[in-house]
Amino acid sequence: MADRAETHALDAQATIHVAGEWRDAVSGATREILDPADGLPFAVVAEGDEKDTDLAVAAARHAFDHGDWPRTPAAERAALLHRVADLLVRDRERLGLLESRDAGKTAEEGRVDIDCVADAFRYFAQLVAAEAPGRVVDAGTPDVHSVVVHEPVGVCALITPWNYPLLQASWKIAPALAAGNTFVVKPSEITPLTTVALIDLLVEAGLPTGVAGLVTGAGHTVGARLAAHPDVDLVSFTGGLVSGTKVAQAAAPTVKKVALELGGKNPNVVFADACATDEGFDTAVDQALNAAFIHSGQVCSAGSRLIVEEPLRERFVAELARRAAAIRLGRGTADGVECGPLVSERQRAKVEGYVESALAEGAVLRTGGKRPEPAPERPDGGYFYEPTVLDQCHREMRVVREEVFGPVLTVETFRTEDEAVALANDTEYGLAGAVWTTDAGRARRVAGRLRHGTVWINDFHPYLPQAEWGGFGKSGVGRELGPAGLAEYRETKHIYQNLAPKPVRWFAG
Ligand code: NAD
């Protein structure tokens, strides 16, 4: 089982998990999984469709309605989640490399992802283990016992993207299980392998049969069916705005709970005072580089809009461009490589289109803007693209307004605090943003005015499993992580018990 998703032979793998069994697609269809570093297939998975989805949902429904898991005590569910975390730590190297190969990230990024996945399982285990069983409400009379309890919502459909395949899945699977739900997960069709591997770990940890289902396949077939399915009680989706809107529409007729984690166009606001010392300058530039280019910018919270105070612009952008040009691109497992390829040819073409349109609209290219030269660590067929800095951008440009999801940083400038805030909030998204300043009052003022779900002050990118993650505006609906990330997977029930029932006599007859 452990080798299921990591085989390098191109035998098709039975990657659909229904009622405790691994299966091929009902149709027999398969899909090749490509290595973004060379464009070559390295695994083959089952290509499920609506029929496979129906089978998986039926199994999850049965496990929820008739199985023990929803009624298993929280301490036991927590213990299982801790065992999963232990298994993730045991398999860190294997899974980290698999994530690196599948998603095109560096091996170290892959390993860090697995650490974060284990952290998510531990966090939700601790959260449910420490909870009181219910909240007693004072009904104002000793004759009534009133308590509010939380129950699992039911069958959860979990749809995930390709950029952080297992991490995004864990932010859904861990709270769904902690709350006592059953689920069917649909990983991205581009990067399903680590999610397939996780199911084996859940089974190894002792999860009862039928609680966890997985269907590999496309969004318009498997994903759409999950969102619309009448036996699904909740759909939690992470992905782009266009697909997220379709999920919400498909889910509406059955009035299921919907959680959406969508895109971002995240501002990184740098005030000149943050760069008054050499150390401050170096830190702000270094973090702006990290904000924009880690995982080739394929990060929902990527700091893709640099908004810098005008007098600082030239010095800041020159240093940023110099360092961006020095980023070592290559296969994620090659020595010394700092950044991998884009995930697909399609994604690279999209990025190229944005850069072309920005240049046509007047942006000034400071570095990048093209595919890198071939090199031993960069096979010809890989989807590489140079880290790109576009100066002199403005809010009317498509590259400033839309999510590029690639290694492209745009530069805008401001002269006043009000102008900085207005620019930072001038987006239909609202996922994350940062402010760099040494003025504590200004830091608090600006953070308070930013319309984004996460605001960093003098930092970029860290998140905590204990703190909610999610967006304002078109960045989504609902929250992952933190107590609210568990609440998404629950129904709330008020139990009112009359200890001394008497007639009410409202009606006289
Ligand atoms: P995507 O929307 O193309 O796909 C996401 C998932 O949805 C995939 O599994 C896909 O198969 C499925 N899907 C596609 N169409 C569907 C449909 N009609 N019905 C149901 N499911 C469907 O997104 P992607 O390209 O895989 O991921 C990149 C996007 O994800 C970016 O916009 C990024 O910002 C976003 N993202 C957001 C967060 C967050 O926390 N807010 C985290 C990671 C990624």
Side-chain angles (χ1 to χ4, degrees):
M1 273 308 204
D3 292 343
R4 167 174 316 285
E6 66 175 2
T7 178
H8 292 196
L10 292 186
D11 295 337
Q13 298 292 298
T15 53
I16 294 175
H17 193 75
V18 176
E21 284 183 4
W22 287 107
R23 305 181 177 201
D24 296 321
V26 172
S27 70
T30 59
R31 177 191 290 264
E32 287 182 341
I33 302 301
L34 306 183
D35 181 339
D38 56 22
L40 298 173
F42 75 104
V44 180
V45 297
E47 177 71 5
D49 62 20
E50 292 84 350
K51 287 200 179 74
D52 305 279
T53 309
D54 287 353
L55 292 172
V57 170
R61 183 82 259 162
H62 187 269
F64 187 81
D65 292 343
H66 305 289
D68 293 335
W69 185 249
R71 283 157 290 281
T72 298
E76 282 180 40
R77 293 201 304 269
L80 185 132
L81 265 60
H82 280 298
R83 284 200 292 282
V84 175
D86 292 342
L87 295 174
L88 285 159
V89 171
R90 181 196 70 188
D91 291 354
R92 176 180 191 260
E93 187 65 20
R94 175 178 73 91
L95 294 172
L97 286 176
L98 188 58
E99 198 74 307
S100 158
R101 185 147 201 213
D102 205 5
K105 47 184 73 190
T106 65
E108 187 54 17
E109 282 175 55
R111 290 185 202 103
V112 171
D113 278 12
I114 304 307
D115 294 340
C116 296
V117 172
D119 288 347
F121 274 89
R122 289 204 200 286
Y123 168 68
F124 285 107
Q126 285 157 9
L127 193 61
V128 288
E131 270 181 337
R135 187 176 96 243
V136 176
V137 175
D138 182 357
T141 160
D143 291 343
V144 169
H145 182 256
S146 189
V147 62
V148 175
V149 297
H150 299 289
E151 297 184 354
V153 71
V155 175
C156 301
L158 313 175
I159 303 175
T160 56
W162 49 256
N163 61 334
Y164 285 89
L166 197 57
L167 185 60
Q168 297 300 331
S170 74
W171 291 10
K172 302 182 190 303
I173 290 174
L177 290 179
N181 297 283
T182 63
F183 72 83
V184 178
V185 62
K186 190 209 93 62
S188 166
E189 56 274 39
I190 307 178
T191 57
L193 302 181
T194 48
T195 309
V196 170
L198 177 69
I199 299 289
D200 280 336
L201 298 190
L202 297 179
V203 171
E204 189 180 345
L207 192 68
T209 301
V211 174
L214 179 147
V215 184
T216 43
H220 68 278
T221 53
V222 178
R225 180 68 182 147
L226 282 173
H229 205 295
D231 284 338
V232 166
D233 300 293
L234 168 150
V235 57
S236 176
F237 170 91
T238 301
L241 178 57
V242 173
S243 319
T245 310
K246 287 184 188 161
V247 165
Q249 283 168 342
T254 48
V255 197
K256 51 175 65 78
K257 287 183 84 177
V258 177
L260 302 173
E261 291 291 334
L262 307 178
K265 193 70 197 175
N266 313 290
N268 187 15
V269 178
V270 183
F271 284 89
D273 63 31
C275 299
T277 64
D278 287 348
E279 196 187 350
F281 177 76
D282 179 49
T283 303
V285 170
D286 184 71
Q287 292 243 12
L289 197 72
N290 196 50
F293 298 123
I294 193 148
H295 195 16
S296 292
Q298 302 168 115
V299 182
C300 53
S301 53
S304 55
R305 287 178 73 196
L306 175 67
I307 299 176
V308 58
E309 197 165 352
E310 179 52 45
L312 181 66
R313 182 180 64 86
E314 185 45 42
R315 182 172 165 234
F316 199 93
V317 175
E319 178 62 2
L320 192 66
R322 185 190 71 74
R323 290 200 51 193
I327 291 175
R328 282 171 289 177
L329 296 180
R331 183 188 281 285
T333 46
D335 274 353
V337 160
E338 297 172 313
C339 214
L342 297 183
V343 77
S344 65
E345 185 63 69
R346 187 160 165 252
Q347 191 61 21
R348 181 168 64 176
K350 187 179 154 204
V351 169
E352 288 174 331
Y354 273 111
V355 173
E356 264 171 46
S357 86
L359 296 177
E361 288 175 288
V364 174
L365 184 68
R366 297 293 295 255
T367 188
K370 59 181 172 53
R371 301 176 183 192
E373 298 301 321
E377 69 280 15
R378 282 194 298 273
D380 281 353
Y383 313 128
F384 296 100
Y385 194 78
E386 288 185 357
T388 299
V389 177
L390 295 172
D391 200 359
Q392 315 225 355
C393 293
H394 55 78
R395 53 176 80 182
E396 278 74 39
M397 292 176 173
R398 216 158 66 82
V399 74
V400 174
R401 290 196 315 272
E402 297 176 16
E403 187 183 44
V404 176
F405 225 58
V408 178
L409 177 69
T410 61
V411 182
E412 298 160 86
T413 57
F414 66 91
R415 290 195 176 275
T416 66
E417 190 176 306
D418 280 349
E419 209 184 328
V421 170
L423 280 173
N425 284 338
D426 187 20
T427 166
E428 61 180 350
Y429 293 108
L431 188 60
V435 52
W436 290 83
T437 177
T438 49
D439 177 336
R442 168 185 279 160
R444 297 294 288 273
R445 274 195 310 276
V446 173
R449 293 173 70 191
L450 290 184
R451 301 276 301 158
H452 296 268
T454 294
V455 175
W456 294 289
I457 299 173
N458 298 334
D459 213 321
F460 209 105
H461 274 325
Y463 76 91
L464 303 170
Q466 310 92 294
E468 277 74 2
W469 177 264
F472 287 32
K474 290 186 183 167
S475 285
V477 177
R479 290 293 181 269
E480 296 199 300
L481 302 177
L486 180 64
E488 294 280 1
Y489 293 90
R490 284 175 156 169
E491 289 288 8
T492 301
K493 183 185 279 179
H494 175 202
I495 301 175
Y496 177 109
Q497 183 178 13
N498 190 337
L499 302 170
K502 296 181 188 64
V504 223
R505 301 291 183 221
W506 181 273
F507 299 107

